[in-house]
Each structure stands twice: as structure tokens, then as C-alpha cells.
Amino acid sequence: MVKGGKPLCGEVTVSGAKNAAVAIIPAAILVDGVCTIENVPNIKDVQVIVEILRYMGAEITYLDNYTLQIDSRNIRRDTEPHELMRKMRASYYLIGALLGRFCKANVTMPGGCDFGTRPIDQHIKGFEALGAVVRQDSGIIIAEAEKLVGTNIYLDTVSVGATINVILAATMAEGTTTIENVAKEPHIVDLANFLNAMGAKIKGAGTDVIRITGTKNLKGGTYSIIPDQIEAGTFMVAAAATGGNVLVKNIIPKHMESVSAKLIEVGAKVTEYDDSIRVEGTKPVRGVKIKTLPYPGFPTDMQPQIVALLSVAEGSSIVTEGVWDSRFQYVGELVRMGANIHVEGKTAFITGVEHLEGAPVRATDLRGGAGVIIAGLMAEGVTEITDLKHVDRGYEKIEEKFKALGADICRVSE
Ligand code: EPU
């Protein structure tokens, strides 16, 4: 429940990156030793992937709330828990990791947020190029290889998931793998840095071409996950949306450039420091045009939050989704709160209104949920948000962090 109208003020510390954690934890399957992973966010998706690995025989200990110790040496390939796998998108990283370690994987088609069709043809193309035979049987993907051999792979679509999955499978393949047209998101660099810290030979992460020289021996070690770029962006947008003044801490400002640039364009003041950013909002904000793109473009995972902000901007805005077929499910919830937004295909046309009004709304998906929370923080009156389970998949204690910034927000029930 959110009672809107209070400018957010103060400091907030960002957690470790969800989309890095859900790749790095299964990557530990490749490691013949103990991995200590720091700055792990305390979110539902991490709990699920930890549960999956434990079920399969990994020994996983929480050294503290944010530090995981993973020993996957005794993991067994034939015990995949398909029910658990269905709960999250990133369970498909188990295909790359298990294929890399055992040359065989048996994984359920993934779940996650509903953005229309979410094909994995590019993951499969990569596995096949490395020598695997991949088939689907009753919603289960079975990938098998006698051995994996490095090769050249060109991805037809820039895909975060395919890039990560092919890195996982190729890390221990024979010879060298070159992957072209890869995604460049910070969590891809983070995964490569983690694997390299364990002894892998991966070059070029963060550019369009990644080269992997296969190695058989990955040893344990300690690694700290990067801060969550999307959680940081969510607080930055919330600060601007409420006309507040918030220092967002524990971040890598370089990762935030596209979001910072848009916030400056709408009229907010953004000041960068070494590992934090201050956002000072002015009201009203100005309408802008945005197209979401793969990194370093404006992130699709920030689209609902910025649309919530633009719903009260002066003038009109046009937001085009450039990554997913369908990512405007949450717009109906903003409209219930008084927003004037019209969606045509992959574009939202927004005519700014003077204010939003509190209403009962739903978190339709993870980032859509963040968008309606921001709308609630701006709105007059009380907004009740249901289906928070989507939000909990990717944000750690979101209501507590907003409350510490002065928001009138509380969780009524689990
Ligand atoms: N695509 C294909 N074929 C493939 C793979 C992808 O056509 O084999 C298409 C998709 O349909 C989509 C585009 O390529 O249109 C990009 O998809 P991508 O594979 O990059 O997305 P993903 O790996 O499934 C990750 C994040 C998403 C984020 C996208 C884009 C994780 C676990 N998920 O998904 O995060 O939206 O990249 O940046 O890393 C979120 O955190 O809220 C979230 C949904």
C-alpha cells in the first residue's frame, strides 16, 4: 500500500545485480572447487536457483546474507528438479552449464515474465554449433554431445541469454570458440570476469565479439557481483518522479549512462560520483522520446518505470520497445490511475496528465510492478498493489528501501 505525494529524500544502497547472480550461480557448476560469491542479492530468483543447485547435490552455504559459498563438485546431472526450473527464466543457464560440465543437460523450458514469445533458438544454435544434439520433449530440452568443440558462432539476434549460455557451454570445450554479434550488458562482462577469476580464458566480453579458449580446469575462488543497474535506475527514476533528492549508492555510474542522460533530458539534475549518483527532481518533468535497445542503449528493463514518470510530464512522450514483442501489459494499470497512454504495437504514446490518482492495481510482471510502485509514490491518495510476487523475484526489500527514503509505503500481506 502506497500513499503518494512525498518527495523521496536520503540515501539508498543498491544490491548485487539479479541478472548477473542468476548466471554466475549456475556457472559455479563448471568449477572444480569452492566458489565464494559476494554481493549476492537477497531475492526470490536467487533463492530458486540456489534451491535447484542444492537439489542437484551442490553444497551451498550462506556465509552471511549476501555471501554464498558454492561447492558443485558432487552435483549430479540426473536429478534436475523440473518444477523448480519452471519458476524462473534463468533456469535455462543450466543447459549451458550442465552441457559444459557433463556434455548432457535435461532442463525444463523456462518461465519468467510474459513478454510475448520468448524463443531460445539462438541458444540452441550455439549449442549445436559446439557439437551438441538438442531436442525438445514434452516441454523439456535435452542437449547431448560426445564432446564440445570450439567453433565460430554468429548470433542472429543480440541476446543476453544466448550470449551467456554459449559462454557457459564453450568455457570447457576443446579449442577456441568465437561468438559474434553478442550482447554487451554489464552482467555478461560480470559472468566472464567470474569465470576468468576461476581460470577460464574469455576475452572480449563487453564488445561485439567474445573469444573463449576452452580449458578443462576451473578452480574455486572469491568473486563479488556487480551492483544492479536496473535497481539503481528504478531508484533514480523514483527520485525524479517524486521531485525528491536521492543519493543512489554502491553503483557503477558508467552502467547508468543511458538512464542518467534521459533523466537530464526530462529536467532532473543528475550528479555522478565515483560509485554513486545523486538525482534531484524538478516538477513537472518534460516529455521525451525513448527507444529501448540492448546495452548501451536505454534498457528495456527500465521501460515501465520511465513510462510511469512520463505519465505526468509536461507535453507528450513516445516510448518505443525495441527488445521485446510485448512489454506494455502494465500500461492498463497506469491508465486506471488516470494516466493518458495509448499503445500501438511496440510504441506507447503518452500525453502527460497533471496528476495520477491512487487506485487498486496489479504488478503484471517484475519491472511493470516497479513502474506501478513509482506511479503510486507520485499519485494523490492511496494505491494498493497486488501480485507483489513478481516484484520480489528481482527487488530486495523494495518497500523497506522506499520507506527509508521517506515514502509512505507498507506491505499489507505477503
Ligand atoms: N531472442 C530470440 N532468440 C533467442 C533469444 C532471444 O529471438 O534465442 C529475442 C527475444 O525474443 C527478445 C530479444 O531476443 O526479443 C532479447 O532477448 P534476450 O535473450 O536478450 O533476453 P533474455 O536473456 O531472455 C535478459 C534479462 C531480461 C531482459 C533481457 C533484455 C535475464 C535473466 N533476463 O532476458 O530481464 O529484459 O535480457 O535485456 O537476464 C528483467 O530483469 O526484468 C528481465 C526481464
Side-chain angles (χ1 to χ4, degrees):
M1 192 130 74
V2 189
K3 196 161 166 212
K6 283 194 166 178
L8 298 180
C9 287
E11 299 182 356
V12 62
T13 301
V14 168
S15 303
K18 159 187 167 276
N19 289 343
V22 297
I24 287 174
I25 295 168
I29 291 177
L30 296 170
V31 178
D32 188 15
V34 178
C35 303
T36 303
I37 307 173
E38 301 169 343
N39 204 31
V40 179
N42 222 324
I43 53 174
K44 190 74 193 162
D45 269 7
V46 163
Q47 288 160 15
V48 173
I49 193 79
V50 163
E51 219 182 315
I52 292 175
L53 260 63
R54 274 191 178 140
Y55 189 96
M56 294 173 68
E59 280 170 38
I60 304 187
T61 317
Y62 268 95
L63 299 184
D64 59 44
N65 273 347
Y66 302 102
T67 310
L68 274 182
Q69 200 175 61
I70 306 182
D71 181 349
S72 297
R73 281 174 290 192
N74 292 326
I75 217 163
R76 292 204 334 271
R77 196 211 52 76
D78 53 354
T79 51
E80 292 97 340
H82 292 288
E83 263 319 304
L84 278 173
M85 287 174 176
R86 248 188 291 276
K87 284 192 183 168
M88 69 181 298
R89 187 79 199 150
S91 54
Y92 59 28
Y93 292 144
L94 292 165
I95 312 176
L98 292 170
L99 200 55
R101 163 123 176 230
F102 297 108
C103 282
K104 186 159 182 173
N106 199 323
V107 173
T108 311
M109 273 298 275
C113 295
D114 176 12
F115 307 143
T117 52
R118 297 186 72 171
I120 59 162
D121 55 301
Q122 297 306 304
H123 306 228
I124 293 173
K125 175 179 171 174
F127 300 145
E128 288 178 341
L130 291 166
V133 174
V134 185
R135 61 194 163 89
Q136 288 188 38
D137 187 6
S138 316
I140 294 179
I141 299 161
I142 300 149
E144 292 174 273
E146 266 182 26
K147 59 177 183 178
L148 297 174
V149 181
T151 183
N152 286 357
I153 301 165
Y154 182 91
L155 297 178
D156 303 319
T157 313
V158 178
S159 158
V160 171
T163 303
I164 289 178
N165 236 339
V166 179
I167 293 176
L168 292 171
T171 291
M172 287 169 51
E174 255 179 48
T176 300
T177 302
T178 305
I179 325 171
E180 289 181 71
N181 197 30
V182 294
K184 296 181 276 206
E185 268 65 7
H187 33 286
I188 288 171
V189 180
D190 210 35
L191 170 78
N193 286 343
F194 164 75
L195 287 169
N196 284 341
M198 304 298 135
K201 295 187 182 125
I202 304 168
K203 286 191 176 154
T207 74
D208 294 309
V209 182
I210 293 178
R211 253 186 210 94
I212 303 158
T213 306
T215 158
K216 285 291 168 214
N217 255 336
L218 298 192
K219 293 290 174 212
T222 299
Y223 189 78
S224 184
I225 289 178
I226 51 166
D228 196 300
Q229 163 210 11
I230 305 301
E231 189 198 359
T234 302
F235 285 112
M236 288 168 66
V237 169
T242 57
N245 181 340
V246 174
L247 184 68
V248 184
K249 299 197 310 185
N250 183 37
I251 62 176
I252 300 174
K254 171 103 188 119
H255 295 167
M256 306 311 306
E257 277 174 355
S258 61
V259 175
S260 297
K262 273 300 156 192
L263 288 180
I264 291 168
E265 214 178 310
V266 304
K269 184 173 172 208
V270 177
T271 315
E272 273 187 17
Y273 303 98
D274 285 348
D275 61 356
S276 59
I277 291 184
R278 180 176 297 282
V279 177
E280 293 165 73
T282 46
K283 278 187 162 179
V285 294
R286 286 188 291 271
V288 292
K289 275 191 187 170
I290 299 180
K291 180 168 185 185
T292 68
L293 289 168
Y295 189 84
F298 190 89
T300 172
D301 295 344
M302 283 301 300
Q303 187 245 91
Q305 301 89 317
I306 202 90
V307 167
L309 163 81
L310 294 174
S311 67
V312 295
E314 232 171 28
S316 52
S317 302
I318 300 179
V319 177
T320 303
E321 174 57 41
V323 176
W324 295 107
D325 283 345
S326 156
R327 199 173 192 172
F328 288 116
Q329 288 88 336
Y330 67 90
V331 163
E333 309 303 308
L334 295 184
V335 169
R336 275 168 188 269
M337 299 175 71
N340 182 350
I341 307 174
H342 168 69
V343 176
E344 259 177 50
K346 290 187 173 189
T347 303
F349 298 91
I350 307 159
T351 307
V353 294
E354 250 173 46
H355 67 267
L356 298 178
E357 281 190 22
V361 291
R362 208 164 67 78
T364 52
D365 59 85
L366 167 56
R367 308 301 172 186
V372 292
I373 293 176
I374 290 175
L377 293 169
M378 295 190 291
E380 285 181 6
V382 175
T383 301
E384 205 181 290
I385 304 157
T386 51
D387 278 344
L388 281 178
K389 60 177 187 288
H390 294 295
V391 178
D392 292 336
R393 281 189 31 229
Y395 288 93
E396 180 178 327
K397 298 182 188 145
I398 194 164
E399 74 279 14
E400 286 180 27
K401 288 191 180 183
F402 276 129
K403 199 176 200 155
L405 293 171
D408 195 341
I409 185 170
C410 65
R411 190 177 288 252
V412 182
S413 69
E414 285 301 319

